[in-house]
Amino acid sequence: MKFGRYLRGKTRRGMATALFQSVSAGALCFALATTSAGAADPAELPTRDLATVFEVNAWGGYLWRGGDAINSSGGAPNEIEDFPLFGGGALFAVPVLDTWLAQLEFEGEGAFDNDNVNGVPADDTYSGGYTGAGQFAFTHNHFLMGVFAGAGETFFHETTTDHDVTQWIAGGQARVLNERGSLALQLGYFDTHADSGNMETLSDTIFVRAVGQVFFNNGQTMLEGAVAYADGTQDEDDAPFSNSTDMWAWEIVLEHQLAMLSGDNSAASVFVSYEGVQVNEDSTSGSTDSLVDQGIYAGLKFRLGGQQSLYEREMSTAPGLPKVHRWLGAVPAVD
């Protein structure tokens, strides 16, 4: 792991800018949460009380990609530019000794109809992946501070080489939560190991991510926005010619709890989201190639526990971690 390269002035300035932009975006969400006239009345919302939460979700959507990096080498097109995705996940959070919180989470997805382009076998095309992680956090009133670690795999359709990778992630985070919204900041590191030794995706990477939430309708509706910046390398197997690569990722999620399917110890909610990833690779030729993945998704969540609203769920859980497999899925197409 080459942590030394992060000490270069350019990277320090880039991360400082990304940190400022990420926190600013999250702070905007938090400001909206604390000032919105349509947000829930604090008097109508419960005080903080940790409780066990178990939640599962399932969703479907469509991803499309664009940018000058697609098929930049010329020849017959062999990279899929749009395809459906389906996935799901689970979360289990439990209080420990009143002020501590332990959480396990899993997110996975698969892509379909993306194995060929006009009869030509697909190359460098995301095929799905998963990430599982654990979190441990200290909570006090409306503040949370904790650490996380996890691992998973990311898969690709390719013609001549195996780009599949195993990834792992670790870091820390802090969050402030009140009756109208929340703001969280995550700082971490992830790395990848190519199953075949062909390191086409992002590796040796640090990231910063800000997440803001706004609660409406007495905590029954939630608007969430997140923005992240990651800086790493691609093609480390080509050292000393590995390419510096950075990434921006963003998401907007609207979730609403369904009264007809919610009771004393269970709840159901629907959600829609718009998510994107932009990858920028600095090649050895001096040029920068870019790729943008975007997607729209919709799904259902089912929750068991004592939580009566989305706000109460957030009180008893730590902020969710990024879908690292989705980030990694965009990278090989810029090479």
Side-chain angles (χ1 to χ4, degrees), residues 14 47 52 76 83 93 101 110 113 115 129 140 264 273 283 289 299 309 321 331-332:
T47 57
T52 299
F83 46 82
L101 171 69
D113 191 29
D115 54 355
H140 178 69
D264 291 340
S273 68
S283 68
D289 293 329
S309 69
L321 299 180
V331 180

Side-chain angles (χ1 to χ4, degrees), residues 1-8 189 204 206:
M1 299 179 183
K2 303 180 292 304
F3 287 103
R5 70 182 179 84
Y6 298 125
L7 299 181
R8 297 198 304 264
Y189 174 86
D204 194 16
I206 55 175

